[in-house]
């Protein structure tokens, strides 16, 4: 399913790019009057073929403006386009979490380990480390090459270097060995826990 979505995403991006390049190139050709300068013809009655052409002619802009449904439809369509564009942009930036990991069981068949299960174990073991107040762990990457993204909230007395060393040698190593992985790259983000001041009477 993910491969299909990735293919559809690439096709849509490619088509959008081609349309934008085509329209932009046509506007630039007409804006710089390149057909006359370079001596090649353009279709008669075509849009944007001369420097004095406009993107939207008066007849296009005022065709249905006397209809009551025109402006609500235009505003709704533009709002939907903006929301779709934002959703698409966010989907490109978002890192997808792994649903499963392919484990080498040693019998040539292999097994699948749920990503959420390994995330839960990593989170629990990370929070058990001294100096860690809270932890959030997510698995990204591919099924055969997973990656760990961890966010740790450190207590005021915690030593960041010691916490990272123990996370690597304990929680991450245990997860790597249990899943039969040769390597398990890990990205760790640390932040300090801010405790609310309390009045002592």
């Amino acid at each position: 399913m993910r491969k299909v979505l990735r293919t559809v995403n690439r096709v849509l991006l490619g088509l959008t790019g081609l349309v934008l390049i085509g329209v932009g190139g046509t506007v630039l050709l007409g804006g710089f009057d390149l057909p006359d300068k370079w001596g090649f013809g353009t279709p008669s009655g075509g849009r944007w073929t001369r420097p004095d052409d406009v993107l939207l002619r008066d007849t296009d802009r005022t065709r249905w403006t006397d209809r009551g449904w025109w402006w609500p439809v235009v505003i709704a369509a533009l709002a939907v386009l903006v929301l779709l564009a934002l959703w698409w942009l966010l989907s490109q930036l978002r890192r997808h979490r792994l649903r499963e990991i392919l484990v080498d069981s040693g019998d040539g068949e292999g097994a699948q380990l749920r990503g959420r299960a390994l995330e839960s174990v990593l989170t629990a073991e990370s929070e058990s480390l001294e100096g860690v107040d809270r932890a959030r762990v997510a698995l990204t990457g591919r099924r055969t090459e997973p990656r760990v993204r961890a966010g740790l909230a450190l207590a005021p007395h915690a030593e960041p270097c010691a916490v990272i060393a123990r996370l690597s040698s304990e929680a991450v190593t245990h997860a790597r060995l249990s899943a039969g992985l040769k390597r398990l790259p890990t990205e760790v983000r640390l932040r300090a826990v801010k405790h609310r001041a309390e009045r002592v009477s």
Side-chain angles (χ1 to χ4, degrees), residues 124-168:
E125 194 165 356
S126 299
E127 290 180 342
S128 68
L129 297 176
E130 183 179 357
V132 177
D133 192 71
R134 291 187 305 275
R136 294 185 64 182
V137 177
L139 291 175
T140 61
R142 294 181 294 177
R143 294 195 309 165
T144 55
E145 296 180 2
R147 304 176 66 89
V148 175
R149 191 172 74 244
L152 304 180
L154 301 183
H157 66 277
E159 297 181 5
C161 292
V163 170
I164 292 177
R166 289 194 62 188
L167 177 72
S168 176

Side-chain angles (χ1 to χ4, degrees), residues 74-86:
V74 169
I75 293 172
L78 291 176
V80 169
L81 285 176
V82 169
L83 291 176
L84 286 175
L86 289 175

Side-chain angles (χ1 to χ4, degrees), residues 58-73:
D58 291 338
T59 55
D60 296 326
R61 289 187 292 105
T62 60
R63 180 175 299 174
W64 293 298
T65 53
D66 58 339
R67 308 291 177 87
W69 55 266
W70 170 247
W71 288 116
V73 169

Side-chain angles (χ1 to χ4, degrees), residues 99-122:
R99 293 185 178 181
E100 57 189 24
I101 297 172
L102 192 60
V103 178
D104 184 7
S105 56
D107 57 1
E109 295 292 331
Q112 291 181 351
L113 173 64
R114 289 183 56 193
R116 293 290 179 126
L118 190 57
E119 287 176 354
S120 300
V121 172
L122 276 168

Side-chain angles (χ1 to χ4, degrees):
M1 183 65 179
R2 184 170 296 175
K3 290 183 179 180
V4 174
L5 291 176
R6 189 179 304 157
T7 303
V8 171
N9 186 38
R10 290 177 179 175
V11 170
L12 288 176
L13 284 174
L15 291 176
T16 303
L18 289 176
V19 170
L20 292 176
I21 289 173
V23 174
T26 304
V27 173
L28 287 176
L29 284 174
F32 288 109
D33 200 18
L34 295 181
D36 288 340
K37 291 180 180 178
W38 291 349
F40 63 88
T42 56
S44 59
R47 294 291 186 89
W48 314 317
T49 57
R50 300 188 312 273
D52 57 346
D53 276 347
V54 294
L55 293 179
L56 289 176
R57 296 172 182 171
D58 291 338
T59 55
D60 296 326
R61 289 187 292 105
T62 60
R63 180 175 299 174
W64 293 298
T65 53
D66 58 339
R67 308 291 177 87
W69 55 266
W70 170 247
W71 288 116
V73 169
V74 169
I75 293 172
L78 291 176
V80 169
L81 285 176
V82 169
L83 291 176
L84 286 175
L86 289 175
W87 170 79
W88 197 5
L89 176 63
L90 292 176
S91 68
Q92 307 307 312
L93 300 177
R94 186 180 59 208
R95 297 183 182 181
H96 296 284
R97 300 173 71 169
L98 275 182
R99 293 185 178 181
E100 57 189 24
I101 297 172
L102 192 60
V103 178
D104 184 7
S105 56
D107 57 1
E109 295 292 331
Q112 291 181 351
L113 173 64
R114 289 183 56 193
R116 293 290 179 126
L118 190 57
E119 287 176 354
S120 300
V121 172
L122 276 168
T123 300
E125 194 165 356
S126 299
E127 290 180 342
S128 68
L129 297 176
E130 183 179 357
V132 177
D133 192 71
R134 291 187 305 275
R136 294 185 64 182
V137 177
L139 291 175
T140 61
R142 294 181 294 177
R143 294 195 309 165
T144 55
E145 296 180 2
R147 304 176 66 89
V148 175
R149 191 172 74 244
L152 304 180
L154 301 183
H157 66 277
E159 297 181 5
C161 292
V163 170
I164 292 177
R166 289 194 62 188
L167 177 72
S168 176
S169 62
E170 296 180 19
V172 176
T173 300
H174 295 163
R176 180 179 60 80
L177 294 176
S178 64
L181 300 170
K182 294 181 179 179
R183 54 193 300 269
L184 186 58
T186 304
E187 174 189 336
V188 182
R189 296 192 177 190
L190 305 176
R191 67 181 181 88
V193 176
K194 294 182 180 180
H195 294 283
R196 183 178 299 175
E198 297 181 359
R199 179 177 296 177
V200 179
S201 57

